[in-house]
Amino acid sequence: MTAVIACTGLSKSFGDKTVLKELDFQIEAGAPVALVGANGAGKTTLLSLLCGYLTPDQGHIQVLGRMPGSQGLNGRLGALPQDAQFDPDFSLARQLQWLARLQGMTASKANTEAERVLALVDLTAEAGLKVAQLSHGMRKRLAIAQALLGEPELVVLDEPTAGLDPLHAKSLRDCIQQQSTHCTFVISSHNLFELEQLCGTVLMLEQGKIRQQATQASETGVLRLQLCQENSQQLLPLLQQLPGFVKLQLVNKLQLELQYDAVRAADFDVQLLQLLHQQSMDYRQLSRGQSLEQQLFQSGG
Amino acid sequence: MHLPVWSHIWLLSQIEWQRLFVTRRGWLTLAAFCLLWFLLLRYVVMPLSQWMLDPAIIEGAEMMAGWVDLRQLLLWPRPELSLFWLLALLLTPAAAVLFSAGQICRDRSRGTLRFYSLRVDRDSILLGRLLGQLLVQGTLLQLALLACLLLALWQGAPLSGDLLSAMVFCWLFVMLTLLPFTVLMSLMSVWLNSSRAAVSMAILLLTLLPLLLGVLVYYWPQALPAFAWLPGAQIPVLVNSSPWQPWAELGLPVGQALLLLTLSLVSFRRRSL
């Protein structure tokens, strides 16, 4: 595997406040990577350092084998910076064409590319409008479109769905999933549900350090079941009889977390569904593995 | 495919240049500029040039010599152009300070530069914006000069090689005069977060520095040559020059611009975006 991002001894302070403390980590090319953390944990600072908007106080960063801000990253690194806005006086298409030209495309190729990325974020009809005429969500989608210009190898997205309506948030998640076959995404977000759907690896920033690096693929042998009615007490003795059952935890009145022996009972989920069917119990959702929220915030508890 | 640095600079300068003709802000600038020069040409240049065409004025020019040497102005092929030269040297530096104040800070505070900096190095961004400003200023000055030429022709001047050559000289030397002011605003725009703050700081610098130098020279007369390093220091000499005469005054604005440009580039490389 190739490291698309490698940081060693990375530190950044603003005045007396140390935001990042000697971070050491690397991100491999492949499935999207999530960056999570509380407000002020340093997510945006880290992404700004990766994009070369800020310079580190200490340490080294390599992005696709280059220093951030290097010309060698032109067209290879795409980014959605937090709160960055386009010039309100020019049209969407014109500004995307300029950026594509700066990436080295010819005028006609830049035109085609601008149309392609506008279509990806469902802004084709607004291509000729000035940015000042767009809503907040549309501006966000435009900023995402510029990050995808020229099919970069690495795309860094800072809170990509904040401010987007559910339909476009879903559309963006689909777009990321499609693009992630040839591009590595690093996504900072507070939306754990979204990250759970998209990302294979999660980096959690806490007090300037990467506290935890969770990989969802490693979590097997756990099923989360959400019932439609509160009948867990009736279900408990039946579940304990299922082959491979290890432990049951009530997350809340309707949600159960089941641990099972994945080696002995690889078809535990099938048995569970059959049991629910036999008992005529409706369920809302069954999912495999711990939720990202549980992995990040309950693992120590 | 990667573009060479000069291509990036040129593309970025074209964006700035287009701003003048495509955006509402640009149209307002253009309209204000045209109105101002119409008023100056109609109510200052036109009556004064007719007055300067009077042979009696030419004879008495030696007696009227003051801060502005009328004898030198009369050496120009047409009085309209000499008056334009005088007005442009005295007024356009202030316009350059006002109009080029947002070169970097406006897009930096909005975050737009973050989109550019992923594709272009910071030196190219700064140089592209600066070149764009100079192209805009050059275009506007050219328009004003053309209007002055039309006025001269309308007042009976023959279209001669001397007249066109004087126009080229006027454009070139006014642009060179504006160069350090424009680069100064590039520096202010890197240091500060808004156009207004950049203009305020430039006004403070351009007024306080001569005052402080004056105090310094009072106590230490050897510091007198330092006045020459203030932007626009050569303007009093240029005002009293006839076309293609003041070549010696070229070095000063170019030197000032290079010094300020170096400071701008170094500051911008270190600035957070």
Side-chain angles (χ1 to χ4, degrees):
Chain A
M1 294 281 266
T2 321
V4 286
I5 296 171
C7 295
T8 47
L10 186 63
S11 297
K12 182 69 186 176
S13 302
F14 295 102
D16 294 337
K17 185 173 165 53
T18 304
V19 181
L20 301 176
K21 292 178 201 162
E22 295 179 5
L23 286 190
D24 291 298
F25 71 96
Q26 62 178 38
I27 293 174
E28 310 290 345
V33 174
L35 183 64
V36 296
N39 291 329
K43 301 184 298 293
T44 297
T45 302
L46 178 57
L47 297 186
S48 297
L49 286 165
L50 295 176
C51 294
Y53 305 145
L54 297 174
T55 46
D57 298 334
Q58 281 177 9
H60 297 283
I61 311 172
Q62 290 268 299
V63 177
L64 299 166
R66 305 274 186 157
M67 293 276 286
S70 143
Q71 265 301 280
L73 292 175
N74 183 356
R76 299 177 67 200
L77 169 68
L80 166 71
Q82 196 180 47
D83 299 330
Q85 298 288 326
F86 276 86
D87 193 324
D89 294 331
F90 289 107
S91 73
L92 285 64
R94 188 189 289 258
Q95 295 195 63
L96 288 177
Q97 283 162 15
W98 285 339
L99 294 177
R101 292 291 309 276
L102 290 170
Q103 281 184 212
M105 293 178 210
T106 60
S108 62
K109 170 75 179 147
N111 192 23
T112 315
E113 186 62 8
E115 284 172 8
R116 183 186 73 85
V117 292
L118 282 173
L120 281 178
V121 295
D122 194 21
L123 282 174
T124 304
E126 288 80 10
L129 293 183
K130 286 184 179 173
V131 173
Q133 295 170 276
L134 301 183
S135 69
H136 175 77
M138 285 173 169
R139 289 179 196 204
K140 187 67 165 267
R141 278 149 55 203
L142 173 63
I144 293 165
Q146 68 75 36
L148 301 173
L149 274 171
E151 301 194 338
E153 295 163 51
L154 172 66
V155 175
V156 173
L157 303 172
D158 197 353
E159 304 206 16
T161 53
L164 291 192
D165 59 75
L167 181 69
H168 284 109
K170 184 189 176 302
S171 162
L172 176 65
R173 285 195 291 271
D174 294 343
C175 173
I176 290 173
Q177 269 168 343
Q178 280 168 13
Q179 304 284 317
S180 62
T181 52
H182 56 268
C183 168
T184 306
F185 284 87
V186 177
I187 305 164
S188 156
S189 175
H190 290 296
N191 187 339
L192 297 182
F193 166 74
E194 172 181 285
L195 296 177
E196 201 168 31
Q197 289 186 314
L198 288 172
C199 302
T201 305
V202 180
L203 300 176
M204 182 168 182
L205 265 176
E206 195 174 61
Q207 293 176 338
K209 294 268 189 189
I210 288 188
R211 186 173 75 89
Q212 194 176 352
Q213 190 157 342
T215 308
Q216 293 187 58
S218 66
E219 289 297 329
T220 54
V222 175
L223 287 176
R224 282 177 290 147
L225 174 68
Q226 191 164 13
L227 299 166
C228 288
Q229 289 176 334
E230 189 187 340
N231 42 18
S232 52
Q233 291 306 319
Q234 183 193 341
L235 192 61
L236 181 61
L238 300 170
L239 287 171
Q240 283 171 335
Q241 289 168 17
L242 287 176
F245 175 86
V246 175
K247 189 180 166 187
L248 173 75
Q249 190 186 345
L250 276 170
V251 178
N252 56 46
K253 287 177 184 175
L254 296 175
Q255 198 170 345
L256 316 174
E257 186 181 294
L258 291 147
Q259 287 182 23
Y260 64 97
D261 186 336
V263 179
R264 260 185 60 211
D267 62 344
F268 190 83
D269 47 353
V270 179
Q271 293 179 52
L272 177 62
L273 288 172
Q274 283 171 346
L275 175 67
L276 293 171
H277 178 66
Q278 285 161 10
Q279 300 298 316
S280 301
M281 287 181 185
D282 279 343
Y283 70 97
R284 192 177 300 278
Q285 191 178 24
L286 176 68
S287 55
R288 194 188 288 272
Q290 275 189 310
S291 71
L292 187 54
E293 188 180 53
Q294 286 169 322
Q295 285 183 63
L296 293 173
F297 302 114
Q298 292 175 11
S299 59
Chain B
M1 180 191 145
H2 291 291
L3 289 178
V5 171
W6 60 264
S7 290
H8 278 156
I9 295 172
W10 181 246
L11 270 169
L12 287 163
S13 72
Q14 292 307 296
I15 296 170
E16 283 306 287
W17 194 76
Q18 284 183 44
R19 198 183 297 277
L20 182 66
F21 298 103
V22 174
T23 68
R24 188 185 296 177
R25 196 196 303 264
W27 277 103
L28 283 174
T29 304
L30 203 57
F33 181 86
C34 291
L35 182 66
L36 178 72
W37 274 105
F38 169 76
L39 293 174
L40 286 172
L41 290 172
R42 173 65 185 84
Y43 296 106
V44 179
V45 175
M46 203 169 129
L48 279 178
S49 60
Q50 282 166 356
W51 176 74
M52 283 169 73
L53 284 168
D54 186 342
I57 295 298
I58 298 168
E59 282 170 20
E62 279 186 35
M63 297 174 69
M64 295 170 72
W67 182 71
V68 177
D69 189 347
L70 196 57
R71 290 165 301 178
Q72 291 297 323
L73 290 183
L74 290 170
L75 291 176
W76 285 70
R78 285 292 297 182
E80 292 88 350
L81 209 52
S82 63
L83 287 166
F84 181 94
W85 166 248
L86 189 63
L87 287 171
L89 283 177
L90 298 178
L91 297 178
T92 52
V97 166
L98 283 174
F99 290 128
S100 57
Q103 284 177 62
I104 297 292
C105 57
R106 196 180 296 137
D107 272 1
R108 195 186 61 237
S109 58
R110 196 170 43 215
T112 315
L113 285 188
R114 293 180 172 195
F115 300 134
Y116 287 112
S117 74
L118 290 170
R119 295 155 173 102
V120 186
D121 66 83
R122 293 193 184 195
D123 287 359
S124 301
I125 293 177
L126 189 127
L127 292 170
R129 288 289 164 101
L130 180 64
L131 181 62
Q133 286 297 325
L134 292 171
L135 283 173
V136 167
Q137 289 171 12
T139 306
L140 292 176
L141 188 64
Q142 211 170 2
L143 287 174
L145 262 171
L146 278 173
C148 182
L149 175 70
L150 288 176
L151 176 68
L153 294 175
W154 187 66
Q155 296 204 120
L159 187 61
S160 66
D162 273 358
L163 188 61
L164 293 175
S165 159
M167 276 181 69
V168 174
F169 161 81
C170 184
W171 184 87
L172 183 66
F173 275 70
V174 171
M175 284 305 293
L176 283 169
T177 303
L178 297 183
L179 186 63
F181 289 97
T182 313
V183 185
L184 174 72
M185 292 322 290
S186 171
L187 180 63
M188 296 296 109
S189 197
V190 169
W191 281 353
L192 298 159
N193 290 325
S194 71
S195 306
R196 191 176 296 177
V199 170
S200 303
M201 182 58 90
I203 291 171
L204 278 175
L205 276 176
L206 292 170
T207 51
L208 280 182
L209 269 181
L211 284 175
L212 290 173
L213 272 178
V215 173
L216 182 69
V217 168
Y218 180 78
Y219 291 105
W220 192 51
Q222 288 92 329
L224 188 64
F227 270 108
W229 278 97
L230 293 172
Q234 80 287 9
I235 290 177
V237 179
L238 289 180
V239 160
N240 293 314
S241 301
S242 51
W244 303 112
Q245 190 190 39
W247 286 107
E249 304 304 321
L250 262 181
L252 192 62
V254 172
Q256 290 169 344
L258 285 176
L259 183 70
L260 289 166
L261 184 60
T262 308
L263 265 174
S264 299
L265 289 168
V266 171
S267 304
F268 192 43
R269 280 178 209 158
R270 295 178 178 183
R271 195 78 160 87
S272 302
L273 291 182

